[in-house]
Amino acid sequence: MTLAHSVVLRVFPDDCDAYGHVNQAAYLRLFERARWESLASGPGLELFTPDRGWPVVRRSNVEYHAAAFPGNTLRFDMTLTHVGRSSFSVHQQARREHDHALVASADIFFVCIDRTGRPVTVPNGVRERLGTRPDAPGPPLSYRMEGGRHWVMEERGDGPAVVFIHGFPMDRTMWRMLVPPLGGWHRIAPDLPGFGLSDPGTGQASVGNYADGLAGVLDAMRVERVVLCGLSLGGYVAFEFWRRHRARVRGLVLMCTRPEHDGPDARASRESAIASVHQHGLGALAKAMVPRLLSPSTVSGQPAVAAHLRTMMLDSQPEGVIAALRAMRDRADSTALLGEINVPTLVVAGADDAVIPKVTSRAMAAAIPGARFEMLPGVGHVPPLEAPVASGQLLRAFLGGIG
Ligand code: MLT
């Protein structure tokens, strides 16, 4: 059972002991702050009132795993582990944001009481809004489509569907920090053919084939209408999906992407990238791309993000990467589609994106009727990895409006 919201808190010097790291007593306070923040940013503080039932901590167990220091940002995740008649329990974990190391965990047992201090039934909303559905990702689903293309899909949760389409050359794991807190949605993250766990398959890839393949896999999953959230290449696929299957689209989230097709310079650089992969493999591509895709502050402050990006690139299959480079090189221009988009749309840009200039994203948003535009400061081309919490908040607010 999962509480669908995680939060990030910064460690300050007054959280630390004489040895300069966070001590046990401070963790109790930080875990409590994280619970309130999770409630405030998620289900809402009104979930508990003295009239309906108010939780008091009856028992807590905090375990130390690794050190955290002033200035570290810690990500707190919370899981609802038990709901009884008048009690419930949560498990909390705190991880360092820069390297995801688990620094502390806590198990907290609550009893709900009324104004007079007597135990009362746990408010219904706790079961409903803190989430009683299993929310762990299911085992990846594997689909072999006509024409030999292979799609692996990861899915979690239930509710209306939202599909997360990764960028180039990445895979479904680029969403792993952003997706879990979006409870109440059926979240589907494919590996495009040739990336992650999907084989490249045979035949010529095109962005249109990716869009049609996705539609076919959604048919196989019996998912009709979706919100599409695409990053960069994922955005190109979302445009193609819109062109071909727009009746199935409930909303669009276009992250760090552009509607224009490749001009002569971009086509030439696709050719040199293809030649480089042929000659030197994926290592050279990763070396050139990783620093370009991330903001300077991500490169210096979040080495784990750069490492994750590099791993995705090196784990891709060279044939899939070459096929995707050709597909992007030859993709259709989608500029003329923008004015036709009549579903709720969120455009997200990274202020330090060196691949998609801010002006391009802003102009794209302006051309889509009613689109909302959000720019994330200090973020490069991959907001879900570089700023998962801020990106998640944008998404949650947007999806809440579609509901
Ligand atoms: C991506 O992140 O998907 C790529 O930057 C897209 C591109 O090369 O056009």
Side-chain angles (χ1 to χ4, degrees), residues 167-168 170 231-233 236 270 293 328 331 355 381:
F168 170 88
M170 303 175 211
L231 180 122
S232 203
L233 164 61
Y236 309 158
R270 302 286 187 208
L293 295 192
M328 291 191 288
R331 73 186 186 279
V355 180
H381 188 58

Short mmCIF file of all heavy atoms in Angstrom, two decimals, residues 167-168 170 231-233 236 270 293 328 331 355 381, ligand 1:
data_model
loop_
_atom_site.label_atom_id
_atom_site.label_comp_id
_atom_site.label_asym_id
_atom_site.label_seq_id
_atom_site.Cartn_x
_atom_site.Cartn_y
_atom_site.Cartn_z
N GLY A 167 13.31 9.65 -23.98
CA GLY A 167 14.12 10.36 -24.97
C GLY A 167 15.20 9.46 -25.54
O GLY A 167 15.27 8.26 -25.25
N PHE A 168 16.08 10.06 -26.32
CA PHE A 168 17.13 9.34 -27.05
C PHE A 168 18.48 9.64 -26.43
O PHE A 168 18.78 10.84 -26.22
CB PHE A 168 17.13 9.76 -28.52
CG PHE A 168 18.31 9.26 -29.28
CD1 PHE A 168 18.28 8.02 -29.90
CD2 PHE A 168 19.48 10.03 -29.38
CE1 PHE A 168 19.39 7.56 -30.61
CE2 PHE A 168 20.58 9.56 -30.09
CZ PHE A 168 20.53 8.33 -30.69
N MET A 170 17.75 6.74 -24.41
CA MET A 170 17.45 6.42 -23.01
C MET A 170 16.48 5.22 -22.99
O MET A 170 16.33 4.53 -24.00
CB MET A 170 16.84 7.65 -22.34
CG MET A 170 17.73 8.87 -22.42
SD MET A 170 16.95 10.35 -21.76
CE MET A 170 17.69 11.62 -22.80
N LEU A 231 9.36 12.89 -23.76
CA LEU A 231 10.53 13.75 -23.63
C LEU A 231 11.33 13.66 -24.92
O LEU A 231 11.74 12.56 -25.33
CB LEU A 231 11.40 13.30 -22.45
CG LEU A 231 12.64 14.17 -22.29
CD1 LEU A 231 12.69 14.81 -20.91
CD2 LEU A 231 13.93 13.42 -22.56
N SER A 232 11.53 14.80 -25.56
CA SER A 232 12.38 14.94 -26.74
C SER A 232 11.97 13.94 -27.83
O SER A 232 10.90 14.10 -28.42
CB SER A 232 13.85 14.81 -26.34
OG SER A 232 14.62 15.43 -27.30
N LEU A 233 12.74 12.85 -28.07
CA LEU A 233 12.27 11.84 -29.03
C LEU A 233 10.87 11.38 -28.65
O LEU A 233 10.01 11.18 -29.52
CB LEU A 233 13.25 10.65 -29.04
CG LEU A 233 12.74 9.35 -29.68
CD1 LEU A 233 12.39 9.55 -31.15
CD2 LEU A 233 13.79 8.24 -29.52
N TYR A 236 8.51 13.63 -30.15
CA TYR A 236 8.31 13.41 -31.60
C TYR A 236 7.30 12.27 -31.80
O TYR A 236 6.45 12.33 -32.69
CB TYR A 236 9.62 13.02 -32.31
CG TYR A 236 10.82 13.91 -32.07
CD1 TYR A 236 12.12 13.43 -32.27
CD2 TYR A 236 10.68 15.24 -31.65
CE1 TYR A 236 13.24 14.22 -32.07
CE2 TYR A 236 11.80 16.03 -31.44
CZ TYR A 236 13.07 15.51 -31.63
OH TYR A 236 14.18 16.29 -31.42
N ARG A 270 23.15 13.86 -37.58
CA ARG A 270 22.65 12.47 -37.41
C ARG A 270 23.59 11.51 -38.16
O ARG A 270 23.91 10.44 -37.67
CB ARG A 270 21.25 12.30 -38.00
CG ARG A 270 20.17 13.20 -37.45
CD ARG A 270 19.70 12.83 -36.08
NE ARG A 270 18.56 13.66 -35.71
CZ ARG A 270 18.24 13.99 -34.47
NH1 ARG A 270 18.95 13.57 -33.45
NH2 ARG A 270 17.19 14.73 -34.20
N LEU A 293 23.51 16.86 -22.40
CA LEU A 293 22.09 16.72 -22.05
C LEU A 293 21.76 17.26 -20.66
O LEU A 293 20.60 17.57 -20.38
CB LEU A 293 21.67 15.24 -22.11
CG LEU A 293 21.72 14.57 -23.48
CD1 LEU A 293 21.00 13.23 -23.44
CD2 LEU A 293 21.10 15.43 -24.56
N MET A 328 14.74 9.78 -36.49
CA MET A 328 14.66 11.21 -36.15
C MET A 328 15.08 12.08 -37.34
O MET A 328 14.46 13.10 -37.61
CB MET A 328 15.53 11.51 -34.92
CG MET A 328 14.98 10.89 -33.65
SD MET A 328 15.79 11.45 -32.15
CE MET A 328 17.38 10.66 -32.28
N ARG A 331 12.13 12.31 -39.78
CA ARG A 331 10.76 12.50 -39.24
C ARG A 331 10.07 13.68 -39.94
O ARG A 331 10.74 14.61 -40.43
CB ARG A 331 10.78 12.69 -37.72
CG ARG A 331 11.28 14.03 -37.27
CD ARG A 331 11.40 14.07 -35.75
NE ARG A 331 11.74 15.41 -35.28
CZ ARG A 331 12.96 15.92 -35.27
NH1 ARG A 331 14.00 15.21 -35.72
NH2 ARG A 331 13.17 17.14 -34.83
N VAL A 355 19.89 21.40 -25.85
CA VAL A 355 19.42 20.73 -27.07
C VAL A 355 18.21 21.46 -27.64
O VAL A 355 18.14 21.72 -28.85
CB VAL A 355 19.05 19.25 -26.76
CG1 VAL A 355 18.56 18.55 -28.02
CG2 VAL A 355 20.23 18.53 -26.16
N HIS A 381 18.24 19.00 -20.28
CA HIS A 381 17.35 18.38 -21.25
C HIS A 381 16.53 17.22 -20.65
O HIS A 381 15.67 16.68 -21.32
CB HIS A 381 18.24 17.87 -22.40
CG HIS A 381 17.51 17.35 -23.59
ND1 HIS A 381 16.63 18.11 -24.32
CD2 HIS A 381 17.53 16.13 -24.19
CE1 HIS A 381 16.14 17.39 -25.31
NE2 HIS A 381 16.67 16.18 -25.25
C1 MLT B 1 16.37 13.22 -27.23
O1 MLT B 1 16.68 13.52 -26.07
O2 MLT B 1 15.46 12.42 -27.45
C2 MLT B 1 17.18 13.80 -28.36
O3 MLT B 1 17.88 14.90 -27.93
C3 MLT B 1 16.31 14.13 -29.53
C4 MLT B 1 17.08 14.59 -30.73
O4 MLT B 1 18.27 14.27 -30.86
O5 MLT B 1 16.47 15.26 -31.57
#
